[in-house]
DNA sequence: AGCACGCCGACT
DNA sequence: GTCGGCGTGCTC
């Protein structure tokens, strides 16, 4: 094939060539699944034309290698400067995602400034072997060199790691604790001590099948009979067909017998896919209860838009107003139009609750997608959606990529929750993407929350979203009474009395006497808050993170909450060597043990990251609460998240200020949401709720607004503050993060990036109104041994910001171990 | 990421 | 002159 280089006459000839071999449609765009993860154009050989389809994996030549790519569609703009290669093979029989997702993937790649192939990789369930695995193995020469000790002592250690077994580079790095570097491997390969083998491995996640045995007409009349065969034939006569696994329960040797019988023509065997069921326990079906007038109005209002193209709603329902029931009715209405429903929930723990409700109403039509599933389970759920076998999917943020070909309704529950923001290589916000996906697929999107984000309320006021309120709690339950206690007046007290006001203590006592449940919220896990040397006042810092350690009594150690590193609690002060370390403040661990001491008869439990680490532990706590085998629950902010605790009447907020004092412009919003949410946990049953909110800042507007359940007042003040300081939603932000293992080098590269940025901004008037803050050292200057710098870009329009960042990144050459990541619409500026 | 290519200094 | 070290840049 001639290269389409050069002038017009040549161009025509190319077209003639295309016409001649009838292959104009035979050019396809493929996203390669190895760096640089970009889209490339390939030619499809004639014999593969019928097989190729968007969403299928293909094997393509790439440089001197063969790699896996994903078909995006026919090429729109064939590249004119390079020769186009032909693809080698089509891997899949069925597409692994529908073609309609391609524009969505493109949008995500553009908006978040991330390579298309990498976007698709994050979207797909794991185990699809998208990248060829490269493994390294010690050669005989390497073995010899190692045993003869002719190698450099520095290489000795690395090579002996490799001597144990061949493995991948990543595993190698882990096994050698990061001491083996890429350059070492390349050097060893040159010396022929090490062999690199690149292979395209089999999928780890494969469909599972079960064998179905069918009766054959006249089969029973066949020659070979035996009592066991008779039994099998009789069972098949009765049921028509049976799974082989069920047959085995009746006839232990069924597997062999059936094979023989199939040969003799007595039965017929077919295969049918089975799905590993992530929902272990059976769920009793329920039927739709009657809606309140308010709920019914919400369903009618939103339901009117179903099937009529894109529309977006904010469903603002106070805690306990029955949003889930509205979702269920809307889902039902959507299914009646034969359109699928996608439900996003902020975290795994809440998925089971939502899934239960949906399963009870819709049975087997529900798929689950989240990271708690095994790779095989996730693959199965994904495939059931892609093959139209389910019409509802419930999942965490990555489920926004669920492979629905058509979509009627997208629900984002607890839309204000920051867990929707993914903080990996691709930093996306699942709520924002849900809105975009709804627009692209002409679906209705519902953002539900008791405390809608400032962003969403702003969009309502802009006319972008429609707002629907649920103001009443179900069964006319009242919102809890909130009482504020000033912690300042307890400053002179010693020990726990500093943190527990007499009013809170009395309320706990009274609630326990009434046999009601108490929730105590403290946004700090561990035993004590701060660790300070008694001699010199130096705080205990993590060796890898420049972050204060926290004392954990259960393991009797100081622990870093950022990298997990811990030191024995006998460790001395890092500065003066002083042995006496003061433990100031209080954490959930201490609060729990103090509560147990003060109320010995009460059953006290704790819910924080430490106690729910074990799989199923959270469910157990929730169950125990429901069965009233817990009297006092102590917990961190996870207790505020949407769980339904029907028997809790008293909520104590130990210190409402912990999230207020963070150096982040969203601190006020987070505090208000947290307080409103945690207060909402009280009084969801028949008894009224009571909340005691302790704070050092009783006059702060976030606290006052929370106290009066006054969302409007909070919004009005917060939006003024954002406007005055030109923060989102009035401006758009992109944050560039510069990370590296070396302090000076990271600082130097950050400075260079800043200079590049200034130069580009000066060159083009389009960037004139973009503000660059930094580069500055990040507030968390080091995490897990990585030094962190940041450059924050702020502008009125997202377009110029995007273009500036793209120009900046393409002009910036960085050393291999310094990383630059892009965070569009950053949520955490630390 | 991997691989080729091209440029330097150290050897046959 | 050739080998092999590493920095640079491309992959349809």
């Amino acid at each position: 094939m001639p290269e389409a280089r050069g002038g017009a006459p040549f161009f025509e000839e190319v077209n003639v060539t295309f016409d001649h071999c009838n292959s104009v449609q035979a050019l396809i765009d493929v996203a390669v699944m190895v760096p640089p993860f970009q889209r490339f154009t390939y030619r499809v050989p004639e014999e593969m034309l019928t097989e190729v389809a968007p969403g299928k994996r293909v094997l393509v030549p790439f440089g001197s290698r063969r790699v896996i790519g994903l078909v995006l569609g026919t090429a729109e703009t064939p590249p004119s400067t390079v020769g186009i290669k032909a693809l080698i093979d089509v891997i899949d029989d069925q597409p692994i995602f529908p073609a309609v997702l391609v524009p969505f993937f493109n949008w995500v790649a553009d908006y978040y400034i991330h390579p298309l192939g990498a976007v698709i990789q994050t979207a797909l369930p794991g185990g699809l072997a998208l990248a060829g695995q490269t493994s390294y193995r010690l050669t005989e020469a390497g073995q010899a060199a190692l045993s003869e000790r002719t190698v450099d002592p520095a290489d000795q250690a690395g090579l002996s790691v490799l001597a144990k077994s061949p493995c991948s580079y990543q595993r190698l790095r882990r096994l050698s604790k990061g001491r083996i570097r890429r350059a070492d491997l390349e050097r060893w390969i040159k010396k022929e001590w090490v062999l690199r083998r690149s292979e395209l491995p089999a999928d780890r996640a494969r469909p599972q099948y079960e064998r179905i045995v069918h009766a054959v007409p006249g089969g029973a009349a066949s020659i070979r009979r035996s009592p066991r065969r008779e039994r099998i034939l009789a069972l098949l006569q009765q049921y028509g067909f049976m799974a082989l696994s069920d047959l085995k329960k009746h006839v232990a040797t069924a597997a062999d017998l059936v094979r023989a019988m199939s040969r003799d023509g007595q039965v017929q065997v077919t295969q049918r896919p089975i799905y590993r069921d992530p929902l272990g326990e059976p769920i009793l079906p329920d039927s739709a209860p009657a809606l309140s007038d308010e709920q019914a109005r919400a369903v009618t209002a939103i339901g009117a838009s179903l099937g009529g193209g894109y529309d977006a709603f904010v469903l603002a329902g106070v805690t306990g107003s029955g949003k889930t029931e509205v979702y269920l009715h809307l889902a039902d209405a959507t299914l009646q139009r034969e359109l699928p429903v996608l439900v996003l929930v902020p975290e795994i723990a809440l998925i089971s609750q939502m899934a239960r409700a949906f399963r009870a109403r819709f049975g087997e039509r529900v798929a689950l997608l989240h990271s708690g599933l095994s790779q095989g389970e996730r693959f199965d759920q994904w495939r059931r959606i892609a093959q139209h076998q389910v019409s509802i999917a419930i999942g965490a943020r990555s489920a926004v990529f669920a492979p629905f070909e058509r979509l009627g309704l997208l629900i984002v529950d607890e839309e204000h929750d920051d867990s929707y923001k993914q903080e990996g290589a691709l930093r996306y916000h699942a709520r924002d993407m849900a809105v975009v996906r709804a627009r692209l697929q002409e679906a209705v999107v519902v953002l539900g929350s008791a405390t809608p984000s400032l962003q969403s309320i702003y969009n309502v006021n802009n006319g972008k979203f429609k707002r629907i309120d649920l103001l009443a709690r179900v069964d006319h339950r009242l919102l809890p009474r909130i009482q504020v206690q000033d912690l300042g007046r307890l400053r002179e007290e010693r020990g726990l009395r500093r943190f527990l006001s007499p009013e809170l203590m009395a309320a706990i006592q009274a609630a326990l006497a009434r046999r009601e449940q108490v929730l105590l919220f403290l946004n700090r896990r561990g035993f004590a808050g701060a660790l300070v040397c008694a001699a010199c006042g130096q705080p205990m810092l993590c060796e890898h993170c420049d972050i204060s350690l926290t004392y954990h009594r259960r393991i009797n150690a100081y622990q870093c909450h950022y990298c997990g590193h811990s030191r024995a609690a006998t460790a001395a002060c890092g500065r003066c060597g002083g042995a006496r370390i003061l433990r100031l403040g209080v954490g959930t661990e201490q609060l729990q043990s103090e509560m147990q001491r003060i109320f010995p008869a009460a059953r006290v439990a704790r819910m924080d990251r430490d106690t729910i680490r074990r799989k199923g532990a959270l469910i157990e706590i929730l169950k125990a609460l429901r069965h009233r085998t817990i009297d006092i629950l102590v917990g961190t902010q996870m207790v505020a998240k949407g769980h339904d605790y029907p028997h809790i009447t008293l909520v104590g907020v130990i210190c409402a200020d912990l999230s207020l004092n963070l150096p982040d412009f969203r601190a006020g919003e987070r505090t208000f949401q947290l307080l409103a949410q945690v207060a909402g946990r009280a009084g969801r049953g028949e008894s009224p709720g009571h909340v005691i909110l302790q704070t050092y800042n009783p006059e702060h507007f976030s606290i006052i607004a929370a106290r009066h359940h006054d969302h409007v007042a909070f919004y009005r003040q917060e939006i003024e503050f954002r406007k005055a300081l030109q923060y989102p939603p009035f401006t758009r932000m992109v944050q560039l993060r510069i990370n590296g293992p070396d302090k000076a080098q990271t600082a130097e590269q950050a400075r260079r990036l800043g200079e590049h940025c200034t130069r580009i901004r000066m060159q083009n008037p389009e960037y004139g109104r973009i503000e660059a803050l930094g580069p500055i050292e990040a507030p968390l200057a080091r995490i897990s041994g990585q030094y962190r710098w940041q450059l924050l870009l702020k502008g009125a329009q997202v377009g110029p910001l995007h273009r500036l960042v793209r120009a900046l990144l393409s002009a910036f050459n960085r050393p291999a171990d310094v990383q630059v990541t892009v965070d569009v619409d950053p949520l955490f500026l630390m």
Side-chain angles (χ1 to χ4, degrees):
Chain A
M1 150 128 48
E3 287 185 10
R5 202 191 291 273
F10 190 48
F11 225 154
E12 276 201 46
E13 207 181 303
V14 171
N15 278 334
V16 168
T17 313
F18 277 156
D19 283 339
H20 178 64
C21 66
N22 191 27
S23 58
V24 178
Q25 306 92 322
L27 288 182
I28 55 166
D29 276 337
V30 171
V32 294
M33 300 316 278
V34 294
F37 290 108
Q38 299 293 1
R39 92 196 296 160
F40 293 90
T41 303
Y42 287 89
R43 187 172 57 77
V44 185
E46 203 159 339
E47 66 274 19
M48 294 179 204
L49 272 173
T50 53
E51 261 188 288
V52 163
K56 285 190 185 183
R57 287 176 295 174
V58 287
L59 191 61
V60 292
F62 195 61
S64 57
R65 298 179 292 161
R66 315 164 116 203
V67 303
I68 292 180
L70 279 161
V71 180
L72 302 167
T74 49
E76 282 153 33
T77 49
S80 56
T81 54
V82 249
I84 293 173
K85 295 181 181 173
L87 58 91
I88 299 165
D89 201 3
V90 179
I91 298 173
D92 296 302
D93 296 331
Q94 295 292 320
I96 53 183
F97 61 80
V100 290
L101 276 186
V102 173
F104 183 52
F105 289 147
N106 277 326
W107 184 88
V108 174
D110 284 345
Y111 187 81
Y112 289 108
I113 314 183
H114 201 67
L116 183 62
V119 168
I120 298 177
Q121 196 173 45
T122 12
L124 295 178
L128 285 175
L130 292 172
Q133 197 117 51
T134 312
S135 72
Y136 300 85
R137 187 164 61 81
L138 204 62
T139 61
E140 280 177 27
Q143 208 106 47
L146 190 62
S147 55
E148 286 160 24
R149 303 195 165 267
T150 51
V151 299
D152 195 275
D155 288 346
Q156 178 112 21
L159 285 169
S160 46
V161 171
L162 206 49
K164 291 190 191 93
S165 69
C167 59
S168 70
Y169 175 61
Q170 295 213 325
R171 203 173 122 78
L172 215 51
R173 269 203 87 100
R174 220 174 330 119
L175 289 176
S176 71
K177 299 199 178 80
R179 279 196 300 273
I180 297 180
R181 310 188 61 178
R182 180 130 247 139
D184 298 322
L185 274 174
E186 300 297 333
R187 209 178 64 243
W188 298 337
I189 290 167
K190 284 262 163 65
K191 289 187 176 157
E192 295 188 347
W193 289 345
V194 170
L195 196 69
R196 180 186 353 244
R197 267 203 14 191
S198 170
E199 56 214 292
L200 299 169
D203 289 340
R204 266 166 297 167
R206 301 177 150 277
Q208 282 185 359
Y209 295 97
E210 65 179 347
R211 276 197 280 276
I212 305 294
V213 186
H214 303 262
V216 172
S222 173
I223 356 105
R224 306 219 19 180
R225 317 291 288 247
S226 72
R228 286 191 182 134
R229 288 195 182 206
E230 293 289 355
R231 178 94 183 97
I232 290 174
L233 290 171
L235 283 164
L236 292 179
Q237 201 73 45
Q238 191 181 344
Y239 296 105
F241 64 90
M242 272 180 96
L244 183 58
S245 54
D246 290 331
L247 264 181
K248 280 187 198 163
K249 287 174 196 151
H250 297 275
V251 181
T253 55
D256 287 332
L257 269 178
V258 161
R259 197 175 309 126
M261 291 170 78
S262 160
R263 247 196 334 263
D264 295 344
Q266 286 177 314
V267 297
Q268 197 188 354
V269 181
T270 57
Q271 282 200 333
R272 150 175 114 178
I274 55 170
Y275 300 102
R276 289 152 274 212
D277 187 5
L279 296 160
E281 43 189 323
I283 291 168
L284 296 177
D286 73 352
S287 52
L291 294 177
S292 71
D293 288 352
E294 217 179 31
Q295 285 174 318
R297 275 197 298 275
V299 170
T300 310
I302 300 171
S305 293
L306 288 171
Y310 167 76
D311 211 346
F313 296 88
V314 170
L315 181 64
V318 298
T319 50
S321 61
K323 285 188 293 294
T324 304
E325 200 49 54
V326 173
Y327 300 156
L328 289 165
H329 274 79
L330 287 172
D332 191 38
T334 313
L335 295 184
Q336 279 176 26
R337 296 173 173 273
E338 301 195 334
L339 287 167
V341 179
L342 175 57
V343 185
L344 301 187
V345 184
E347 55 184 69
I348 300 174
L350 291 168
I351 292 175
S352 57
Q353 191 171 309
M354 187 67 75
R356 254 191 118 69
F358 272 81
R359 273 260 167 143
R361 196 68 54 83
F362 303 107
E364 298 303 311
R365 283 178 285 177
V366 183
L368 290 190
L369 282 172
H370 62 81
S371 58
L373 302 181
S374 74
Q375 205 166 59
E377 285 170 337
R378 210 167 350 158
F379 172 75
D380 282 349
Q381 299 290 316
W382 178 275
R383 197 164 47 107
R384 288 174 75 204
I385 300 168
Q387 299 182 358
H388 309 103
Q389 284 158 0
V390 292
S391 36
I392 300 175
I394 302 173
R397 57 185 174 239
S398 66
V400 75
F401 295 111
F404 285 112
E405 192 153 19
R406 301 197 307 153
L407 207 48
L409 175 66
L410 250 150
I411 294 167
V412 184
D413 189 34
E414 308 290 354
E415 66 88 22
H416 65 280
D417 199 305
D418 288 342
S419 338
Y420 281 120
K421 174 81 180 190
Q422 166 81 27
E423 294 284 310
L426 168 61
R427 296 167 169 266
Y428 62 88
H429 199 299
R431 178 241 289 143
D432 299 346
M433 285 175 42
V435 174
V436 170
R437 184 160 180 194
R439 202 160 43 209
L440 289 174
Q441 289 193 256
E442 305 195 317
V444 171
V445 61
V446 175
L447 310 180
S449 175
T451 53
S453 59
L454 196 79
Q455 178 73 55
S456 292
I457 299 176
Y458 181 74
N459 283 335
V460 167
N461 295 345
N462 265 343
K464 281 190 187 166
F465 299 161
K466 294 170 189 158
R467 175 171 179 141
I468 305 225
D469 282 287
L470 298 176
L471 300 169
R473 290 185 135 189
V474 290
D475 299 335
H476 311 291
R477 278 167 209 148
L478 297 173
L479 281 170
R481 179 168 58 90
I482 302 181
Q483 190 183 341
V484 172
Q485 292 294 331
D486 186 357
L487 277 174
R489 73 196 163 92
L490 302 178
R491 279 218 169 88
E492 299 308 311
E493 300 283 349
R494 308 286 299 165
L496 207 68
R497 287 189 182 179
R498 266 180 92 128
F499 309 106
L500 289 172
S501 61
E503 290 81 358
L504 179 54
M505 289 299 283
I508 295 171
Q509 189 128 40
L512 292 177
R514 290 193 305 268
R515 315 205 128 272
E516 293 169 355
Q517 288 176 321
V518 176
L519 176 67
L520 295 181
F521 166 66
L522 174 59
N523 207 2
R524 185 192 277 148
R525 67 193 171 94
F527 191 82
L531 298 164
V532 176
C533 172
C536 73
Q538 168 82 2
M540 277 287 220
L541 298 177
C542 174
E543 305 162 42
H544 313 290
C545 303
D546 294 348
I547 281 167
S548 302
L549 298 174
T550 305
Y551 175 63
H552 285 250
R553 194 168 67 174
R554 194 184 50 81
I555 52 173
N556 194 34
Y558 304 139
Q559 198 185 32
C560 172
H561 286 177
Y562 281 84
C563 74
H565 170 78
S566 60
R567 296 170 70 180
T570 50
C573 170
R575 187 161 71 183
C576 74
R580 218 163 78 81
I581 306 294
L582 298 178
R583 292 166 191 168
L584 305 177
V586 57
T588 46
E589 203 181 4
Q590 186 176 8
L591 187 61
Q592 179 193 17
S593 71
E594 287 295 333
M595 280 297 134
Q596 194 65 79
R597 191 178 58 79
I598 300 168
F599 304 105
R603 292 156 297 180
V604 186
R606 173 160 57 100
M607 182 159 126
D608 57 24
R609 218 174 338 145
D610 299 313
T611 62
I612 65 150
R613 191 164 297 143
R614 190 171 50 82
K615 198 179 170 185
L618 175 62
I619 305 282
E620 278 167 32
I621 296 176
L622 295 174
K623 242 183 223 163
L625 277 169
R626 200 164 292 258
H627 297 146
R628 301 198 183 207
T629 54
I630 291 175
D631 301 309
I632 302 178
L633 180 68
V634 173
T636 54
Q637 60 188 332
M638 67 177 61
V639 301
K641 291 199 174 181
H643 302 291
D644 197 12
Y645 312 115
H647 308 306
I648 284 176
T649 56
L650 175 66
V651 168
V653 178
I654 303 300
C655 182
D657 314 287
L658 289 176
S659 56
L660 202 54
N661 299 326
L662 296 175
D664 187 318
F665 71 89
R666 274 184 256 256
E669 182 181 1
R670 292 214 178 92
T671 303
F672 175 75
Q673 282 165 349
L674 198 54
L675 294 178
Q677 290 284 347
V678 77
R681 301 305 122 204
R684 291 169 76 101
E686 280 143 30
S687 320
H690 180 199
V691 177
I692 294 184
L693 202 161
Q694 304 188 127
T695 173
Y696 289 105
N697 298 292
E699 301 304 320
H700 192 284
F701 76 88
S702 298
I703 306 257
I704 294 176
R707 172 188 192 169
H708 296 114
H709 305 285
D710 196 343
H711 295 70
V712 177
F714 172 77
Y715 175 80
R716 214 180 286 137
Q717 295 193 58
E718 181 70 13
I719 205 82
E720 279 308 313
F721 156 72
R722 301 281 180 95
K723 193 173 186 176
L725 295 174
Q726 286 297 297
Y727 280 130
F730 297 95
T731 49
R732 307 298 299 267
M733 288 180 170
V734 178
Q735 178 159 259
L736 299 173
R737 293 158 201 265
I738 305 99
N739 290 321
D742 182 84
K743 188 172 184 175
Q745 186 195 34
T746 311
E748 162 66 12
Q749 294 304 320
R751 194 189 51 73
R752 267 191 61 226
L753 188 70
E755 280 171 8
H756 268 286
C757 184
T758 311
R759 197 171 320 128
I760 295 171
R761 274 165 56 228
M762 294 306 141
Q763 278 165 8
N764 191 332
E766 185 197 20
Y767 306 138
R769 294 182 57 199
I770 291 176
E771 218 184 316
L773 304 155
I776 56 159
E777 196 172 37
L780 303 174
R782 188 175 54 133
I783 292 179
S784 299
Q786 290 280 308
Y787 290 87
R788 310 167 76 238
W789 281 69
Q790 54 197 31
L791 176 59
L792 188 65
L793 302 171
K794 214 161 103 172
Q797 304 291 329
V798 80
L801 273 173
H802 270 128
R803 288 188 283 278
L804 171 60
V805 172
R806 281 203 196 89
L808 178 55
L809 291 180
S810 64
F812 186 71
N813 285 323
R814 61 187 173 80
D817 47 4
V818 172
Q819 284 185 34
V820 178
T821 50
V822 183
D823 193 347
V824 179
D825 305 328
L827 265 193
F828 311 101
L829 297 173
M830 311 259 295

